[in-house]
mmCIF file of all heavy atoms in Angstrom:
data_model
loop_
_atom_site.group_PDB
_atom_site.id
_atom_site.type_symbol
_atom_site.label_atom_id
_atom_site.label_comp_id
_atom_site.label_asym_id
_atom_site.label_seq_id
_atom_site.Cartn_x
_atom_site.Cartn_y
_atom_site.Cartn_z
ATOM 1 N N ILE U 265 7.743 6.633 -0.028
ATOM 2 C CA ILE U 265 6.408 5.931 -0.045
ATOM 3 C C ILE U 265 6.061 5.388 1.336
ATOM 4 O O ILE U 265 6.896 4.831 2.027
ATOM 5 C CB ILE U 265 6.643 4.673 -1.037
ATOM 6 C CG1 ILE U 265 7.054 5.166 -2.425
ATOM 7 C CG2 ILE U 265 5.292 3.927 -1.181
ATOM 8 C CD1 ILE U 265 6.216 6.034 -3.188
ATOM 9 N N ASN U 266 4.702 5.510 1.571
ATOM 10 C CA ASN U 266 4.193 5.225 2.928
ATOM 11 C C ASN U 266 2.895 4.388 2.782
ATOM 12 O O ASN U 266 1.941 4.857 2.148
ATOM 13 C CB ASN U 266 4.127 6.426 3.782
ATOM 14 C CG ASN U 266 5.357 7.251 3.906
ATOM 15 O OD1 ASN U 266 6.289 6.845 4.686
ATOM 16 N ND2 ASN U 266 5.459 8.313 3.129
ATOM 17 N N VAL U 267 2.795 3.182 3.365
ATOM 18 C CA VAL U 267 1.462 2.393 3.210
ATOM 19 C C VAL U 267 1.280 1.844 4.683
ATOM 20 O O VAL U 267 2.087 1.641 5.445
ATOM 21 C CB VAL U 267 1.667 1.269 2.248
ATOM 22 C CG1 VAL U 267 1.851 1.875 0.779
ATOM 23 C CG2 VAL U 267 2.856 0.460 2.549
ATOM 24 N N VAL U 268 0.005 1.771 4.796
ATOM 25 C CA VAL U 268 -0.541 0.954 6.011
ATOM 26 C C VAL U 268 -1.443 -0.181 5.748
ATOM 27 O O VAL U 268 -2.208 0.017 4.818
ATOM 28 C CB VAL U 268 -1.252 1.969 7.017
ATOM 29 C CG1 VAL U 268 -2.391 2.696 6.199
ATOM 30 C CG2 VAL U 268 -1.829 1.157 8.226
ATOM 31 N N ALA U 269 -1.181 -1.332 6.237
ATOM 32 C CA ALA U 269 -2.020 -2.513 6.001
ATOM 33 C C ALA U 269 -3.290 -2.308 6.857
ATOM 34 O O ALA U 269 -3.296 -2.153 8.012
ATOM 35 C CB ALA U 269 -1.355 -3.741 6.338
ATOM 36 N N TYR U 270 -4.451 -2.386 6.003
ATOM 37 C CA TYR U 270 -5.704 -2.049 6.729
ATOM 38 C C TYR U 270 -6.617 -3.090 6.332
ATOM 39 O O TYR U 270 -7.093 -3.183 5.160
ATOM 40 C CB TYR U 270 -6.254 -0.659 6.445
ATOM 41 C CG TYR U 270 -7.466 -0.205 7.179
ATOM 42 C CD1 TYR U 270 -7.628 -0.481 8.531
ATOM 43 C CD2 TYR U 270 -8.388 0.512 6.505
ATOM 44 C CE1 TYR U 270 -8.688 -0.107 9.215
ATOM 45 C CE2 TYR U 270 -9.625 0.936 7.294
ATOM 46 C CZ TYR U 270 -9.592 0.615 8.617
ATOM 47 O OH TYR U 270 -10.817 1.037 9.340
ATOM 48 N N GLU U 271 -7.138 -3.928 7.303
ATOM 49 C CA GLU U 271 -8.002 -5.144 6.970
ATOM 50 C C GLU U 271 -9.322 -4.748 6.388
ATOM 51 O O GLU U 271 -9.886 -5.504 5.527
ATOM 52 C CB GLU U 271 -8.201 -5.940 8.191
ATOM 53 C CG GLU U 271 -9.064 -5.317 9.331
ATOM 54 C CD GLU U 271 -8.193 -4.580 10.270
ATOM 55 O OE1 GLU U 271 -6.877 -4.262 9.907
ATOM 56 O OE2 GLU U 271 -8.540 -4.185 11.361
ATOM 57 N N GLU U 272 -9.853 -3.565 6.641
ATOM 58 C CA GLU U 272 -11.071 -3.145 6.064
ATOM 59 C C GLU U 272 -10.986 -2.874 4.543
ATOM 60 O O GLU U 272 -11.993 -3.197 3.801
ATOM 61 C CB GLU U 272 -11.558 -1.833 6.673
ATOM 62 C CG GLU U 272 -11.949 -2.024 8.171
ATOM 63 C CD GLU U 272 -12.961 -3.039 8.358
ATOM 64 O OE1 GLU U 272 -13.993 -3.108 7.507
ATOM 65 O OE2 GLU U 272 -12.924 -3.737 9.366
ATOM 66 N N GLU U 273 -9.876 -2.494 4.080
ATOM 67 C CA GLU U 273 -9.458 -2.458 2.696
ATOM 68 C C GLU U 273 -9.561 -3.813 1.986
ATOM 69 O O GLU U 273 -10.224 -3.870 0.883
ATOM 70 C CB GLU U 273 -8.217 -1.714 2.318
ATOM 71 C CG GLU U 273 -8.033 -0.292 2.892
ATOM 72 C CD GLU U 273 -8.985 0.649 2.069
ATOM 73 O OE1 GLU U 273 -9.324 0.350 1.036
ATOM 74 O OE2 GLU U 273 -9.189 1.759 2.584
ATOM 75 N N ALA U 274 -9.026 -4.822 2.637
ATOM 76 C CA ALA U 274 -8.966 -6.095 2.040
ATOM 77 C C ALA U 274 -10.497 -6.718 2.104
ATOM 78 O O ALA U 274 -10.840 -7.295 1.158
ATOM 79 C CB ALA U 274 -8.088 -7.103 2.972
ATOM 80 N N LYS U 275 -11.266 -6.420 3.088
ATOM 81 C CA LYS U 275 -12.647 -6.916 3.151
ATOM 82 C C LYS U 275 -13.458 -6.381 2.060
ATOM 83 O O LYS U 275 -14.344 -6.927 1.423
ATOM 84 C CB LYS U 275 -13.236 -6.516 4.426
ATOM 85 C CG LYS U 275 -12.717 -7.292 5.692
ATOM 86 C CD LYS U 275 -13.415 -6.883 6.988
ATOM 87 C CE LYS U 275 -12.759 -7.607 8.162
ATOM 88 N NZ LYS U 275 -13.414 -7.022 9.492
ATOM 89 N N GLN U 276 -13.092 -5.130 1.596
ATOM 90 C CA GLN U 276 -13.798 -4.470 0.464
ATOM 91 C C GLN U 276 -13.293 -4.822 -0.846
ATOM 92 O O GLN U 276 -13.771 -4.226 -1.994
ATOM 93 C CB GLN U 276 -13.854 -2.944 0.766
ATOM 94 C CG GLN U 276 -14.521 -2.379 2.002
ATOM 95 C CD GLN U 276 -14.188 -1.019 2.373
ATOM 96 O OE1 GLN U 276 -13.713 -0.169 1.586
ATOM 97 N NE2 GLN U 276 -14.526 -0.697 3.609
ATOM 98 N N GLY U 277 -12.293 -5.678 -0.902
ATOM 99 C CA GLY U 277 -11.700 -6.153 -2.178
ATOM 100 C C GLY U 277 -10.697 -5.278 -2.658
ATOM 101 O O GLY U 277 -10.302 -5.614 -3.888
ATOM 102 N N GLU U 278 -10.116 -4.190 -2.144
ATOM 103 C CA GLU U 278 -9.048 -3.489 -2.605
ATOM 104 C C GLU U 278 -7.803 -4.344 -2.658
ATOM 105 O O GLU U 278 -7.365 -4.976 -1.645
ATOM 106 C CB GLU U 278 -8.785 -2.280 -1.645
ATOM 107 C CG GLU U 278 -7.836 -1.301 -2.311
ATOM 108 C CD GLU U 278 -6.324 -1.778 -2.098
ATOM 109 O OE1 GLU U 278 -6.011 -2.165 -1.039
ATOM 110 O OE2 GLU U 278 -5.686 -1.651 -3.293
ATOM 111 N N SER U 279 -7.151 -4.411 -3.805
ATOM 112 C CA SER U 279 -5.904 -5.304 -3.945
ATOM 113 C C SER U 279 -4.841 -4.609 -4.827
ATOM 114 O O SER U 279 -4.060 -5.337 -5.125
ATOM 115 C CB SER U 279 -6.400 -6.586 -4.618
ATOM 116 O OG SER U 279 -7.002 -6.296 -5.995
ATOM 117 N N SER U 280 -5.004 -3.367 -5.181
ATOM 118 C CA SER U 280 -4.010 -2.715 -6.001
ATOM 119 C C SER U 280 -3.078 -1.750 -5.407
ATOM 120 O O SER U 280 -2.193 -1.302 -6.072
ATOM 121 C CB SER U 280 -4.676 -2.264 -7.354
ATOM 122 O OG SER U 280 -5.633 -1.206 -6.980
ATOM 123 N N ALA U 281 -3.558 -1.094 -4.409
ATOM 124 C CA ALA U 281 -2.923 0.101 -3.807
ATOM 125 C C ALA U 281 -1.338 -0.234 -3.393
ATOM 126 O O ALA U 281 -0.522 0.519 -3.763
ATOM 127 C CB ALA U 281 -3.505 0.652 -2.629
ATOM 128 N N PHE U 282 -1.169 -1.316 -2.929
ATOM 129 C CA PHE U 282 0.145 -1.697 -2.392
ATOM 130 C C PHE U 282 1.096 -1.867 -3.724
ATOM 131 O O PHE U 282 2.217 -1.303 -3.854
ATOM 132 C CB PHE U 282 0.129 -2.948 -1.617
ATOM 133 C CG PHE U 282 1.521 -3.356 -0.956
ATOM 134 C CD1 PHE U 282 2.445 -2.302 -0.613
ATOM 135 C CD2 PHE U 282 1.901 -4.607 -0.926
ATOM 136 C CE1 PHE U 282 3.625 -2.755 -0.095
ATOM 137 C CE2 PHE U 282 3.177 -5.014 -0.265
ATOM 138 C CZ PHE U 282 4.016 -3.962 0.071
ATOM 139 N N HIS U 283 0.544 -2.560 -4.667
ATOM 140 C CA HIS U 283 1.322 -2.745 -5.920
ATOM 141 C C HIS U 283 1.613 -1.391 -6.646
ATOM 142 O O HIS U 283 2.573 -1.242 -7.049
ATOM 143 C CB HIS U 283 0.415 -3.677 -6.830
ATOM 144 C CG HIS U 283 1.018 -3.763 -8.252
ATOM 145 N ND1 HIS U 283 2.115 -4.452 -8.559
ATOM 146 C CD2 HIS U 283 0.700 -3.225 -9.403
ATOM 147 C CE1 HIS U 283 2.429 -4.312 -9.807
ATOM 148 N NE2 HIS U 283 1.493 -3.566 -10.389
ATOM 149 N N GLN U 284 0.596 -0.593 -6.698
ATOM 150 C CA GLN U 284 0.702 0.732 -7.296
ATOM 151 C C GLN U 284 1.786 1.601 -6.606
ATOM 152 O O GLN U 284 2.542 2.233 -7.261
ATOM 153 C CB GLN U 284 -0.619 1.430 -7.263
ATOM 154 C CG GLN U 284 -1.623 0.814 -8.331
ATOM 155 C CD GLN U 284 -2.995 1.503 -8.086
ATOM 156 O OE1 GLN U 284 -3.196 2.285 -7.324
ATOM 157 N NE2 GLN U 284 -3.926 0.977 -8.981
ATOM 158 N N GLU U 285 1.794 1.581 -5.303
ATOM 159 C CA GLU U 285 2.783 2.386 -4.554
ATOM 160 C C GLU U 285 4.171 1.843 -4.895
ATOM 161 O O GLU U 285 5.185 2.594 -4.951
ATOM 162 C CB GLU U 285 2.383 2.459 -3.048
ATOM 163 C CG GLU U 285 1.141 3.155 -2.700
ATOM 164 C CD GLU U 285 1.234 4.639 -3.247
ATOM 165 O OE1 GLU U 285 2.145 5.249 -2.804
ATOM 166 O OE2 GLU U 285 0.404 5.057 -3.872
ATOM 167 N N LEU U 286 4.230 0.541 -4.827
ATOM 168 C CA LEU U 286 5.598 -0.020 -5.146
ATOM 169 C C LEU U 286 6.257 0.277 -6.470
ATOM 170 O O LEU U 286 7.364 0.322 -6.651
ATOM 171 C CB LEU U 286 5.571 -1.614 -4.956
ATOM 172 C CG LEU U 286 5.348 -2.182 -3.554
ATOM 173 C CD1 LEU U 286 5.396 -3.689 -3.515
ATOM 174 C CD2 LEU U 286 6.386 -1.661 -2.590
ATOM 175 N N GLN U 287 5.289 0.570 -7.476
ATOM 176 C CA GLN U 287 5.720 0.925 -8.777
ATOM 177 C C GLN U 287 6.524 2.366 -8.716
ATOM 178 O O GLN U 287 7.263 2.672 -9.618
ATOM 179 C CB GLN U 287 4.643 0.836 -9.792
ATOM 180 C CG GLN U 287 3.908 -0.369 -9.871
ATOM 181 C CD GLN U 287 4.936 -1.615 -9.881
ATOM 182 O OE1 GLN U 287 5.833 -1.788 -10.814
ATOM 183 N NE2 GLN U 287 4.821 -2.519 -8.943
ATOM 184 N N LYS U 288 6.110 3.114 -7.682
ATOM 185 C CA LYS U 288 6.712 4.559 -7.642
ATOM 186 C C LYS U 288 7.937 4.516 -6.820
ATOM 187 O O LYS U 288 8.665 5.474 -6.740
ATOM 188 C CB LYS U 288 5.633 5.476 -6.891
ATOM 189 C CG LYS U 288 4.318 5.450 -7.527
ATOM 190 C CD LYS U 288 3.292 6.328 -6.601
ATOM 191 C CE LYS U 288 1.889 6.245 -7.033
ATOM 192 N NZ LYS U 288 1.023 6.879 -6.079
ATOM 193 N N LEU U 289 8.219 3.395 -6.142
ATOM 194 C CA LEU U 289 9.342 3.352 -5.159
ATOM 195 C C LEU U 289 10.728 3.458 -5.823
ATOM 196 O O LEU U 289 11.090 2.631 -6.747
ATOM 197 C CB LEU U 289 9.285 2.041 -4.345
ATOM 198 C CG LEU U 289 10.370 1.733 -3.363
ATOM 199 C CD1 LEU U 289 10.405 2.868 -2.233
ATOM 200 C CD2 LEU U 289 10.144 0.429 -2.758
ATOM 201 N N THR U 290 11.536 4.351 -5.462
ATOM 202 C CA THR U 290 12.901 4.495 -5.777
ATOM 203 C C THR U 290 13.988 4.535 -4.680
ATOM 204 O O THR U 290 15.145 4.090 -4.885
ATOM 205 C CB THR U 290 13.113 5.743 -6.726
ATOM 206 O OG1 THR U 290 12.847 6.952 -5.861
ATOM 207 C CG2 THR U 290 12.216 5.769 -7.856
ATOM 208 N N LYS U 291 13.587 4.995 -3.556
ATOM 209 C CA LYS U 291 14.648 5.170 -2.426
ATOM 210 C C LYS U 291 14.255 4.620 -1.197
ATOM 211 O O LYS U 291 14.973 3.886 -0.542
ATOM 212 C CB LYS U 291 14.835 6.742 -2.280
ATOM 213 C CG LYS U 291 15.405 7.415 -3.471
ATOM 214 C CD LYS U 291 15.643 8.879 -3.199
ATOM 215 C CE LYS U 291 16.234 9.609 -4.378
ATOM 216 N NZ LYS U 291 16.482 11.124 -4.062
ATOM 217 N N SER U 292 12.958 4.844 -0.668
ATOM 218 C CA SER U 292 12.590 4.410 0.748
ATOM 219 C C SER U 292 11.144 4.264 0.808
ATOM 220 O O SER U 292 10.347 4.829 0.132
ATOM 221 C CB SER U 292 13.161 5.434 1.702
ATOM 222 O OG SER U 292 12.543 6.695 1.464
ATOM 223 N N ILE U 293 10.779 3.362 1.772
ATOM 224 C CA ILE U 293 9.357 3.074 1.981
ATOM 225 C C ILE U 293 9.154 2.684 3.433
ATOM 226 O O ILE U 293 10.039 2.111 4.070
ATOM 227 C CB ILE U 293 8.994 1.804 1.105
ATOM 228 C CG1 ILE U 293 7.436 1.498 1.370
ATOM 229 C CG2 ILE U 293 9.771 0.596 1.368
ATOM 230 C CD1 ILE U 293 6.860 0.508 0.359
ATOM 231 N N THR U 294 8.021 3.152 4.041
ATOM 232 C CA THR U 294 7.626 2.902 5.342
ATOM 233 C C THR U 294 6.429 2.002 5.273
ATOM 234 O O THR U 294 5.379 2.562 4.619
ATOM 235 C CB THR U 294 7.471 4.107 6.246
ATOM 236 O OG1 THR U 294 8.626 4.853 6.495
ATOM 237 C CG2 THR U 294 6.757 3.894 7.555
ATOM 238 N N ILE U 295 6.269 0.915 5.974
ATOM 239 C CA ILE U 295 5.144 0.052 5.979
ATOM 240 C C ILE U 295 4.657 0.084 7.413
ATOM 241 O O ILE U 295 5.469 -0.159 8.308
ATOM 242 C CB ILE U 295 5.334 -1.312 5.432
ATOM 243 C CG1 ILE U 295 6.465 -2.059 6.222
ATOM 244 C CG2 ILE U 295 5.757 -1.270 3.943
ATOM 245 C CD1 ILE U 295 6.723 -3.595 5.651
ATOM 246 N N VAL U 296 3.390 0.256 7.577
ATOM 247 C CA VAL U 296 2.783 0.328 8.969
ATOM 248 C C VAL U 296 1.818 -0.839 9.153
ATOM 249 O O VAL U 296 0.986 -1.070 8.371
ATOM 250 C CB VAL U 296 2.030 1.634 9.126
ATOM 251 C CG1 VAL U 296 1.609 1.763 10.540
ATOM 252 C CG2 VAL U 296 2.957 2.869 8.794
#
């Protein structure tokens, strides 16, 4: 699983992508 924190997403009200990706996590994750 790979995610990048992006402030423009927060400004636009996106709040579920990180949670959704974590639900798929079983072995490893990279956060940028």
Side-chain angles (χ1 to χ4, degrees):
I265 301 296
N266 304 281
V267 296
V268 54
Y270 188 41
E271 63 272 17
E272 294 304 320
E273 298 288 349
K275 290 177 184 177
Q276 294 168 20
E278 188 286 311
S279 60
S280 61
F282 188 35
H283 172 74
Q284 290 172 358
E285 292 302 305
L286 289 183
Q287 304 317 299
K288 307 172 190 175
L289 177 59
T290 61
K291 295 179 181 178
S292 62
I293 181 170
T294 292
I295 58 177
V296 186

